[in-house]
Amino acid sequence: MSDQIVLNAETRERTGSNKARVIRKVDGMVPAIVYGDKKESLNLKLHLNELTKASQNELFYTQVLLIKNGDVEEKVVLKELQRDPAKGKFLHADFLRVSGKTKLKVIIPMNFINEEECVGVKNDGGLITKAIREVEIMCLAGNIPESIDIDVTNLELGASIRLTEISLPEGSEISGLTEETDQMVVSVNAPKAVEEEEPILEEGMESEEGTAEEGESSDEEANSEEAESKGSEES
């Protein structure tokens, strides 16, 4: 797993919408709250530059984060990150405390590996089709995977891998997954044939060759008739 994302915080004495504006404009920080795990809620404020940098990392939205407030450390997951709809500025952040035994619903990306070594691609010229690129799983907060690896090495032409066939981390599950709700994740399909169409001539148009032949025939007939006429006059 990658290094844990750490956010440094300070205690927020001021609360309420007016005070929050002051924190954002004067302090240059973002109001936040940490709650859950049967403990008292903490009103905090986060450094804008740290929060901005963290928000650019995909793991910020799926992994357990560490918030440091002096000597106090809180393991949390992001529950909500409010932004100004017009300017995109951060307005407020909500975090939920977690422990190693806390179960969470998280969306995890699929990581397709060994695509170049896929049997159906190498031997039969097939194309890999990815139907699902991420999946929501239920797992322990202390065991959230960065991604779910899908090995396509042995996938033959016409074969596929479904949700019920993928390996999940220990203690993880896809909620509500049954044979009826099962879905295809990835498959190897034959490439579509491209048919070349014959050029279509517009109605009333003829080929240049046909036009030329007809013109030559008409000239020959005219010359023949002229020769016959002269022969009759001489006789």
Side-chain angles (χ1 to χ4, degrees):
M1 181 174 287
S2 299
D3 293 337
Q4 189 172 40
I5 295 175
V6 179
L7 296 172
N8 293 292
E10 297 178 17
T11 300
R12 175 163 55 106
E13 302 295 344
R14 300 184 292 263
T15 59
S17 57
N18 291 332
K19 301 298 183 181
R21 293 191 189 96
V22 173
I23 290 173
R24 288 191 291 267
K25 291 184 178 180
V26 178
D27 298 346
M29 302 183 79
V30 180
I33 186 170
V34 173
Y35 58 90
D37 199 27
K38 299 180 181 180
K39 297 179 181 178
E40 185 178 353
S41 298
L42 291 178
N43 293 309
L44 305 172
K45 52 185 178 181
L46 304 173
H47 297 280
L48 177 60
N49 59 336
E50 286 189 0
L51 184 59
T52 300
K53 182 178 179 180
S55 68
Q56 295 169 352
N57 188 334
E58 292 182 357
L59 300 180
F60 177 69
Y61 303 92
T62 59
Q63 299 294 325
V64 174
L65 314 172
L66 185 64
I67 292 182
K68 290 185 176 182
N69 180 25
D71 295 331
V72 179
E73 296 185 352
E74 299 276 3
K75 288 185 177 181
V76 301
V77 291
L78 178 70
K79 292 300 292 182
E80 185 177 7
L81 184 59
Q82 300 176 20
R83 297 175 184 259
D84 184 307
K87 299 180 180 179
K89 294 181 179 180
F90 294 120
L91 299 178
H92 196 277
D94 291 17
F95 298 95
L96 174 67
R97 289 189 185 94
V98 298
S99 67
K101 296 182 179 179
T102 304
K103 273 207 164 186
L104 302 170
K105 276 188 178 181
V106 290
I107 296 176
I108 306 298
M110 302 286 193
N111 178 33
F112 299 92
I113 59 176
N114 298 323
E115 294 185 49
E116 295 181 356
E117 301 301 319
C118 177
V119 173
V121 174
K122 290 181 65 176
N123 297 347
D124 301 301
L127 298 176
I128 295 176
T129 301
K130 301 168 185 175
I132 298 177
R133 294 180 180 270
E134 60 183 21
V135 63
E136 184 180 75
I137 67 172
M138 179 77 77
C139 66
L140 295 174
N143 196 25
I144 302 176
E146 293 182 15
S147 62
I148 297 175
D149 290 339
I150 308 293
D151 191 344
V152 298
T153 304
N154 299 319
L155 206 56
E156 299 179 349
L157 187 68
S160 64
I161 297 175
R162 304 183 71 83
L163 283 176
T164 51
E165 299 172 310
I166 65 176
S167 298
L168 297 175
E170 185 177 354
S172 302
E173 63 178 347
I174 300 175
S175 301
L177 180 61
T178 64
E179 292 184 0
E180 288 73 24
T181 60
D182 195 13
Q183 299 180 54
M184 183 184 298
V185 177
V186 60
S187 61
V188 178
N189 304 311
K192 294 182 179 179
V194 180
E195 298 182 358
E196 294 186 3
E197 298 182 356
E198 292 289 336
I200 301 175
L201 295 176
E202 294 183 10
E203 188 176 349
M205 293 183 63
E206 298 177 354
S207 66
E208 294 181 359
E209 184 179 352
T211 305
E213 291 177 351
E214 290 177 3
E216 292 173 0
S217 176
S218 299
D219 291 342
E220 290 176 358
E221 290 177 0
N223 293 336
S224 176
E225 291 177 356
E226 185 178 352
E228 291 179 0
S229 175
K230 288 182 178 180
S232 299
E233 291 177 357
E234 291 176 355
S235 59

mmCIF file of all heavy atoms in Angstrom, residues 14 26 90 103 111 198 209:
data_model
loop_
_atom_site.group_PDB
_atom_site.id
_atom_site.type_symbol
_atom_site.label_atom_id
_atom_site.label_comp_id
_atom_site.label_asym_id
_atom_site.label_seq_id
_atom_site.Cartn_x
_atom_site.Cartn_y
_atom_site.Cartn_z
ATOM 1 N N ARG A 14 -13.682 28.733 16.630
ATOM 2 C CA ARG A 14 -14.858 29.411 16.076
ATOM 3 C C ARG A 14 -15.701 28.425 15.276
ATOM 4 O O ARG A 14 -15.180 27.650 14.480
ATOM 5 C CB ARG A 14 -14.430 30.564 15.161
ATOM 6 C CG ARG A 14 -13.595 31.613 15.863
ATOM 7 C CD ARG A 14 -13.290 32.775 14.936
ATOM 8 N NE ARG A 14 -12.402 32.410 13.847
ATOM 9 C CZ ARG A 14 -11.094 32.609 13.874
ATOM 10 N NH1 ARG A 14 -10.520 33.141 14.943
ATOM 11 N NH2 ARG A 14 -10.342 32.279 12.848
ATOM 12 N N VAL A 26 -9.488 34.796 6.310
ATOM 13 C CA VAL A 26 -8.436 35.393 7.135
ATOM 14 C C VAL A 26 -7.321 34.389 7.436
ATOM 15 O O VAL A 26 -6.139 34.671 7.237
ATOM 16 C CB VAL A 26 -9.022 35.957 8.450
ATOM 17 C CG1 VAL A 26 -7.905 36.521 9.321
ATOM 18 C CG2 VAL A 26 -10.072 37.012 8.147
ATOM 19 N N PHE A 90 -12.675 25.055 -1.640
ATOM 20 C CA PHE A 90 -13.091 24.169 -0.557
ATOM 21 C C PHE A 90 -13.829 24.966 0.509
ATOM 22 O O PHE A 90 -13.369 26.032 0.946
ATOM 23 C CB PHE A 90 -11.880 23.486 0.077
ATOM 24 C CG PHE A 90 -11.168 22.542 -0.852
ATOM 25 C CD1 PHE A 90 -9.843 22.746 -1.186
ATOM 26 C CD2 PHE A 90 -11.819 21.454 -1.389
ATOM 27 C CE1 PHE A 90 -9.178 21.885 -2.037
ATOM 28 C CE2 PHE A 90 -11.175 20.577 -2.242
ATOM 29 C CZ PHE A 90 -9.849 20.801 -2.569
ATOM 30 N N LYS A 103 -15.960 -1.557 9.211
ATOM 31 C CA LYS A 103 -16.239 -1.970 7.835
ATOM 32 C C LYS A 103 -16.765 -0.776 7.047
ATOM 33 O O LYS A 103 -17.642 -0.048 7.516
ATOM 34 C CB LYS A 103 -17.243 -3.123 7.794
ATOM 35 C CG LYS A 103 -16.591 -4.491 7.907
ATOM 36 C CD LYS A 103 -17.428 -5.570 7.242
ATOM 37 C CE LYS A 103 -16.633 -6.834 7.015
ATOM 38 N NZ LYS A 103 -17.376 -7.847 6.246
ATOM 39 N N ASN A 111 -7.488 -3.097 -11.879
ATOM 40 C CA ASN A 111 -6.160 -2.988 -12.484
ATOM 41 C C ASN A 111 -5.943 -4.216 -13.372
ATOM 42 O O ASN A 111 -5.700 -5.318 -12.878
ATOM 43 C CB ASN A 111 -5.078 -2.912 -11.403
ATOM 44 C CG ASN A 111 -3.683 -2.835 -11.987
ATOM 45 O OD1 ASN A 111 -3.482 -2.245 -13.055
ATOM 46 N ND2 ASN A 111 -2.722 -3.436 -11.319
ATOM 47 N N GLU A 198 -18.428 -0.968 -52.708
ATOM 48 C CA GLU A 198 -18.183 -0.583 -54.094
ATOM 49 C C GLU A 198 -18.632 0.853 -54.297
ATOM 50 O O GLU A 198 -19.652 1.277 -53.750
ATOM 51 C CB GLU A 198 -18.965 -1.503 -55.044
ATOM 52 C CG GLU A 198 -18.471 -2.943 -55.061
ATOM 53 C CD GLU A 198 -17.121 -3.047 -55.740
ATOM 54 O OE1 GLU A 198 -16.797 -2.159 -56.564
ATOM 55 O OE2 GLU A 198 -16.373 -3.999 -55.445
ATOM 56 N N GLU A 209 -15.134 5.481 -69.807
ATOM 57 C CA GLU A 209 -14.805 4.508 -70.842
ATOM 58 C C GLU A 209 -16.005 4.238 -71.722
ATOM 59 O O GLU A 209 -15.922 4.207 -72.947
ATOM 60 C CB GLU A 209 -14.329 3.209 -70.173
ATOM 61 C CG GLU A 209 -13.860 2.163 -71.181
ATOM 62 C CD GLU A 209 -13.369 0.907 -70.493
ATOM 63 O OE1 GLU A 209 -13.251 0.918 -69.250
ATOM 64 O OE2 GLU A 209 -13.100 -0.082 -71.203
#
